[in-house]
Amino acid sequence: MTPIYNGMPAADLGSEGWSKPWSGGNGGTCVEAMKLADGRIAMRQSADPDGPALIYTPHEIAAFIQGAKAGQADFLLT
């Protein structure tokens, strides 16, 4: 099995299991996510499916989503 690491080619994780929970609605540039067997989450840019995958722990994803819901990332929208 290939070791899973941050920045690895997303293609090395396979093509099955990716979903688009966040869609930009602008012609295919979406963030795709995949839950890995060990519980970590891989994310990639849909426009570059062979590009790098960012690997996050469940805690990191939960903190991001909870922070975004609380408005902590709103500065990114202006």
Side-chain angles (χ1 to χ4, degrees):
M1 177 177 218
T2 303
I4 296 174
Y5 59 93
N6 202 24
M8 70 183 293
D12 289 354
L13 294 170
S15 59
E16 298 296 318
W18 292 98
S19 64
K20 296 179 184 177
W22 305 278
S23 177
N26 52 4
T29 54
C30 304
V31 175
E32 295 181 321
M34 177 195 319
K35 191 164 187 179
L36 303 173
D38 66 3
R40 292 182 294 168
I41 294 89
M43 298 181 79
R44 71 179 182 184
Q45 174 62 26
S46 65
D48 186 14
D50 295 330
L54 299 177
I55 310 297
Y56 297 98
T57 66
H59 177 74
E60 290 169 326
I61 289 295
F64 173 77
I65 291 171
Q66 290 165 359
K69 285 181 176 181
Q72 294 174 0
D74 288 356
F75 70 95
L76 296 171
L77 302 175
T78 58

